[in-house]
Amino acid sequence: MSFESLAKMPLTDGPSAQAFFASVQAYAMQCGVTLRMPPPEPTSCCGRGCNGCVWEGFFAAATFWREDAFTALRQAADH
């Protein structure tokens, strides 16, 4: 998998986020880069679509993790 294909992977639901995390971690291992652990999926969602749902926080954390991982991978590629 290439960096470009990783950048195109969606973060739209739990399974897509987990697939993304696994793919990026595998790519990072191939590049010799150690990443911090991705955020865990929430376990307390009630499923009612609450404002401020735990999934909103998860996807915010996942997006931050994605940016942080890509920064680390870019820096490793530059060296």
Side-chain angles (χ1 to χ4, degrees), residues 5-49:
S5 61
L6 291 172
K8 293 178 185 176
M9 289 184 74
L11 285 174
T12 55
D13 58 14
S16 69
Q18 293 305 319
F20 173 75
F21 295 152
S23 296
V24 172
Q25 288 175 315
Y27 183 79
M29 281 182 53
Q30 291 175 356
C31 297
V33 175
T34 302
L35 302 174
R36 64 183 173 86
M37 293 298 296
E41 280 192 23
T43 58
S44 60
C45 179
C46 66
R48 293 183 290 195

Side-chain angles (χ1 to χ4, degrees), residues 33-71:
V33 175
T34 302
L35 302 174
R36 64 183 173 86
M37 293 298 296
E41 280 192 23
T43 58
S44 60
C45 179
C46 66
R48 293 183 290 195
C50 302
N51 187 18
C53 177
V54 294
W55 283 100
E56 291 175 18
F58 169 75
F59 286 115
T63 299
F64 179 76
W65 186 89
R66 176 186 198 130
E67 293 166 1
D68 191 45
F70 285 171
T71 297

